[in-house]
Amino acid sequence: MTPSSDHPLDWKFSQVFGERAPGDELQEVDVISAIGFDKSGDHLAIGDRGGRCVIFERKDGKHNLDEHRSRLELEQLDVTSTQHPEFQFKTEFQSHEPEFDYLKSVEIEEKINKVKWCATSNGSQFILSTNDKTIKLWKVKEGKVKKVKEMNPGPLTSSDNVLLSEKSFISREDKPTVANGYRQEWAEKMANNVSQYQDIHAKVADAEDTAQTRCRKVYAHAHDYNIHSISNNSDGETFLSADDLRINLWNLEISDQCFNIIDMKPPNMDDLTEVITSAEFHPVHCNLLAYSSSRGFIRLVDMRQSALCDNSARILQDGDSNALKSFFTEIIASISDIKFSKDGRYILSRDYMNLKLWDVHMDSSPVAIYRIHEHLRPKLSELYTNDRIFDKFGCCFSGDGLHYATGSYSNLVRIFSHGIGGEEGTTIEASKTPNRKPLPRAAPRVRRSSLSNLARGFYRHGHENSSSAGNDISYDLSSKLLQVAWHPEANLIASAAGNSLFMYYA
């Protein structure tokens, strides 16, 4: 559905994978922690806290169109392809296992932080996945069972032709086989081969198409801090990885060497004022990248200017950041995710309170600001106490760059359109009835999570506890929707709520 100039997109439920039955307890290892479509939109990958990657593929499968199909079949597929994309399970594999760093006496959990699709090659898909310390390149190859299923015993190897060839081989008068039995043995062997082939064919015909996964490369031992971002370059040969203080540049074919292009670590760690929170390559120009910081800045870097790009960046910052400050100002200004539009002209950023749209040619202020959690401002002290203020919400662009989406609490998806629908946008809930209003709930007591990055460390320093006017927060903070992805060609959003993957179309 194409939006008019006055009305936003009308969203409807499409599919759900991994839906929990009422009363089922959510297992921590099953929580989806990463999500991403490939460039064509024919495949979707998710990663979870248990170190697993699951891949889905389109049902109509434009990538599976066979040149040998009839005109009628192609016409029917063309009709179905005009509808919204639907997906089905393709394969699942264990990407990472829990490890232990004996030098630092630290456990490295298997949780998948990011998944990114690489350029396809020879019909195979390649995908990068990373946990806190190790990046892996996986090859997902299509099974060839389908081709074998379509084969039939050829006429030249049928049992009837074996007998005919035996007759003509013996003599023109069809005399019986000579006593030495060589020709008889040959005929029996040929007949036996045919029967074995038919048995194999019967077995293969019952098999299903499968996808084989294999780890091609392991990129390890390059980050002292936890990896939070990976991004493929448009050159198809390199990618970046980022932690709190450094960004490294890798070649996909070289796993034992990388180049440090951003280093924000000060000589004295007491002088640390900000950390890197997200990094992304420009989708068109292979020499450009952007990275965000905990102070709310976005830096645009041209790698041609210097080998170490720390001091040659253009800075995008909100001109209103000089307003009245409090202890929480820097915490809520920290950017958790950035995304380039398809043409690279705009950047979408998400901090705790807002979703912001930036024009890369305007570095003084964002083009638009969409308020996501403004109603939480009176509760910031409570959110700090229970660690919710450090939740990292993702964001995404539509393929045409006109629409944007992000997540919120109570498993809500917030969707906005440039110049359409106002600043409130559209709110849908991650359920089969996305347009129903969520019920207010009191926030349960939560166990304080471990401080997983440097940002929490220096935000904690010097803070004195303060009380809030209210005791309860009037909606479900334990149900948070952190991961969203927009199909590159259609108005279809994939969102992760707990262990469930919900899809909506417009």
Side-chain angles (χ1 to χ4, degrees):
M1 174 181 175
T2 303
S4 66
S5 58
D6 300 323
H7 299 89
L9 297 171
D10 181 22
W11 292 93
K12 297 180 176 63
F13 171 78
S14 175
Q15 291 177 276
V16 60
F17 295 94
E19 186 180 24
R20 297 197 314 276
D24 285 355
E25 184 179 352
L26 175 62
Q27 301 296 321
E28 186 71 14
V29 294
D30 295 331
V31 173
I32 299 173
S33 55
I35 186 171
F37 286 100
D38 70 346
K39 192 173 183 179
S40 68
D42 290 336
H43 293 88
L44 172 68
I46 64 171
D48 65 19
R49 289 180 174 271
R52 295 162 294 192
C53 286
V54 184
I55 297 177
F56 301 89
E57 64 179 352
R58 284 186 66 160
K59 283 184 178 179
D60 51 359
K62 290 192 294 183
H63 61 291
N64 288 328
L65 290 181
D66 193 339
E67 59 183 2
H68 300 295
R69 285 180 175 170
S70 67
R71 180 185 298 271
L72 178 61
E73 288 177 314
L74 293 177
E75 288 176 352
Q76 291 174 344
L77 282 170
D78 184 61
V79 171
T80 58
S81 65
T82 60
Q83 302 174 0
H84 70 275
E86 291 189 351
F87 287 79
Q88 62 188 3
F89 173 82
K90 181 181 178 72
T91 189
E92 175 183 340
F93 58 93
Q94 187 72 33
S95 175
H96 288 72
E97 301 281 356
E99 301 175 40
F100 189 82
D101 187 336
Y102 291 97
L103 293 177
K104 297 181 179 179
S105 297
V106 174
E107 291 184 2
I108 303 172
E109 61 180 348
E110 65 271 34
K111 172 194 168 190
I112 304 297
N113 293 334
K114 291 290 181 182
V115 290
K116 293 288 182 179
W117 291 92
C118 303
T120 58
S121 175
N122 298 325
S124 297
Q125 302 284 333
F126 292 87
I127 187 170
L128 286 169
S129 62
T130 183
N131 65 352
D132 287 340
K133 298 297 181 183
T134 305
I135 307 164
K136 295 184 180 181
L137 176 65
W138 293 88
K139 180 179 181 180
V140 184
K141 189 173 182 180
E142 298 286 349
K144 298 299 182 183
V145 177
K146 185 175 182 180
K147 296 295 182 183
V148 179
K149 284 171 63 177
E150 294 171 355
M151 291 175 60
N152 292 311
L156 297 178
T157 58
S158 66
S159 55
D160 293 337
N161 283 330
V162 170
L163 297 177
L164 289 174
S165 60
E166 162 70 1
K167 288 183 178 181
S168 62
F169 178 75
I170 295 170
S171 70
R172 293 191 183 97
E173 291 84 17
D174 297 339
K175 292 182 180 179
T177 307
V178 294
N180 60 22
Y182 286 151
R183 287 185 284 271
Q184 183 177 0
E185 180 181 354
W186 173 82
E188 291 175 353
K189 186 178 293 186
M190 288 294 292
N192 186 47
N193 288 341
V194 169
S195 64
Q196 288 181 357
Y197 175 82
Q198 290 173 337
D199 291 339
I200 294 173
H201 178 265
K203 293 178 181 178
V204 171
D206 294 332
E208 296 181 357
D209 294 337
T210 58
Q212 303 169 349
T213 57
R214 183 165 63 92
C215 185
R216 285 286 308 275
K217 299 285 183 181
V218 177
Y219 314 88
H221 312 300
H223 288 274
D224 292 330
Y225 303 97
N226 292 345
I227 301 171
H228 53 63
S229 300
I230 52 175
S231 177
N232 289 302
N233 200 341
S234 59
D235 63 9
E237 298 178 356
T238 57
F239 72 94
L240 66 79
S241 60
D243 63 27
D244 288 343
L245 294 180
R246 292 189 175 96
I247 299 179
N248 293 331
L249 179 66
W250 301 81
N251 187 298
L252 283 166
E253 296 300 323
I254 304 173
S255 59
D256 59 352
Q257 183 182 31
C258 65
F259 298 95
N260 179 226
I261 55 176
I262 304 289
D263 190 347
M264 296 182 65
K265 185 176 181 179
N268 185 351
M269 286 296 285
D270 292 336
D271 299 330
L272 183 68
T273 59
E274 63 179 330
V275 296
I276 301 169
T277 57
S278 183
E280 179 118 338
F281 263 122
H282 192 283
V284 179
H285 302 296
C286 61
N287 56 292
L288 299 178
L289 65 94
Y291 66 96
S292 59
S293 81
S294 57
R295 294 177 62 190
F297 299 155
I298 299 175
R299 290 175 170 85
L300 291 174
V301 172
D302 189 339
M303 294 190 296
R304 297 173 299 184
Q305 294 185 3
S306 62
L308 198 59
C309 308
D310 300 45
N311 301 317
S312 58
R314 283 184 53 227
I315 300 179
L316 308 183
Q317 57 182 322
D318 193 345
D320 294 335
S321 59
N322 295 323
L324 184 64
K325 298 182 182 296
S326 68
F327 170 79
F328 303 108
T329 301
E330 285 194 9
I331 302 179
I332 61 176
S334 178
I335 296 174
S336 56
D337 192 23
I338 58 172
K339 292 290 192 302
F340 273 104
S341 61
K342 191 174 184 180
D343 59 3
R345 174 65 186 272
Y346 297 97
I347 295 177
L348 195 65
S349 71
R350 173 66 202 269
D351 57 49
Y352 188 75
M353 304 297 287
N354 305 309
L355 182 70
K356 296 180 180 180
L357 179 68
W358 303 80
D359 187 329
V360 296
H361 300 306
M362 296 172 53
D363 53 14
S364 60
S365 63
V367 175
I369 300 177
Y370 302 97
R371 312 291 181 185
I372 308 297
H373 289 158
E374 190 63 30
H375 54 285
L376 289 178
R377 195 172 291 276
K379 305 289 186 181
L380 291 179
S381 181
E382 289 182 27
L383 294 166
Y384 178 86
T385 302
N386 60 28
D387 268 357
R388 297 303 184 193
I389 202 169
F390 296 105
D391 287 336
K392 299 180 183 301
F393 294 91
C395 60
C396 60
F397 264 109
S398 63
D400 57 14
L402 298 177
H403 313 282
Y404 341 104
T406 188
S408 181
Y409 294 110
S410 296
N411 286 340
L412 299 180
V413 182
R414 302 290 304 276
I415 305 168
F416 304 90
S417 303
H418 189 55
I420 305 172
E423 294 184 357
E424 293 300 320
T426 302
T427 301
I428 60 177
E429 184 187 9
S431 68
K432 290 184 177 180
T433 53
N435 296 319
R436 71 183 176 93
K437 295 182 179 180
L439 297 174
R441 302 180 186 177
R445 291 182 59 86
V446 297
R447 178 179 57 86
R448 183 181 300 277
S449 61
S450 61
L451 303 184
S452 61
N453 55 38
L454 295 178
R456 297 192 188 189
F458 64 74
Y459 284 139
R460 294 287 180 198
H461 181 68
H463 174 64
E464 296 181 0
N465 291 331
S466 61
S467 60
S468 175
N471 295 322
D472 292 326
I473 300 177
S474 59
Y475 47 89
D476 191 0
L477 291 178
S478 64
S479 300
K480 51 189 176 183
L481 196 148
L482 304 179
Q483 309 296 330
V484 289
W486 203 302
H487 192 281
E489 295 181 357
N491 285 324
L492 179 96
I493 292 178
S495 59
N499 69 323
S500 301
L501 177 67
F502 288 90
M503 297 190 185
Y504 305 93
Y505 72 95

